Amino acid sequence: SGPMVAGFHDQIHKFFPEPLQVGDELHQVDGEPCENLSRKEVLELLLTTDEGLSFSSTAGLPQTLRADAKAALARPAPGDNLEWIGPFLLRWGTVPALVDIQASAQRFFHAPLNVGDRLALLDGTTTRGLSRESILHLLSSFRGGMGFEPEPRLARE
């Protein structure tokens, strides 16, 4: 993924058709994809841009996840291990699994998420083996980095 917006001056909104949000990802500079570029390469592109910046919006997702995680930390763990955090219904386990996802959340991801996919990474931290509380603490300060892995398939003999 590309660099993420950590903050900005309000004047920036007049340059973009949609308001920028903290957590939005710099997608392209003058048509050049930024997702696999180093910090230095992105800065060099920004120095020579003709104002051709494109962002992938994550508007609302980080804020929603942070707020829901903080609220979940304040209540006991659900008896059925199922809990809505933002647009995700998670089943808590060794690795949290998606039981449901609100359709509107799919736009935040490069590939579609499916029921059974596992929440594998949060802001660069592997979630495997972490407790519900540890994952909720990570989500309560979520900066926008989230990775899912497909549901494991049974091996065929």
Side-chain angles (χ1 to χ4, degrees):
S1 63
M4 295 214 151
V5 174
F8 51 84
H9 294 283
D10 288 337
Q11 301 91 324
I12 196 74
H13 291 298
K14 66 183 175 187
F15 297 104
F16 297 96
E18 298 282 328
L20 285 180
Q21 300 285 331
V22 170
D24 286 356
E25 181 181 312
L26 180 60
H27 182 64
Q28 294 181 344
V29 176
D30 287 339
E32 178 80 26
C34 296
E35 53 196 38
N36 295 317
L37 299 180
S38 69
R39 178 181 183 274
K40 182 180 178 187
E41 291 169 323
V42 170
L43 291 173
E44 287 171 352
L45 278 175
L46 289 172
L47 284 172
T48 61
T49 184
D50 291 324
E51 300 181 29
L53 303 180
S54 169
F55 290 87
S56 298
S57 177
T58 58
L61 183 63
Q63 296 87 342
T64 300
L65 288 171
R66 285 193 295 265
D68 283 2
K70 288 175 185 172
L73 281 166
R75 62 181 179 255
D80 60 3
N81 285 330
L82 297 175
E83 192 164 28
W84 280 101
I85 304 295
F88 311 113
L89 179 59
L90 297 174
R91 174 177 288 115
W92 296 107
T94 305
V95 179
L98 279 177
V99 175
D100 197 2
I101 180 172
Q102 294 172 356
S104 61
Q106 293 285 7
R107 68 188 171 101
F108 298 119
F109 298 92
H110 298 292
L113 297 178
N114 298 297
V115 169
D117 286 355
R118 312 277 189 215
L119 176 58
L121 290 171
L122 285 171
D123 292 326
T125 300
T126 302
T127 61
R128 180 171 293 284
L130 294 181
S131 68
R132 170 187 174 267
E133 291 73 21
S134 295
I135 292 170
L136 290 172
H137 279 290
L138 288 172
L139 284 167
S140 69
S141 60
F142 181 65
R143 295 184 315 272
M146 177 177 273
F148 286 86
E149 59 187 21
E151 177 181 20
R153 304 284 183 221
L154 295 175
R156 296 181 188 237
E157 296 184 27

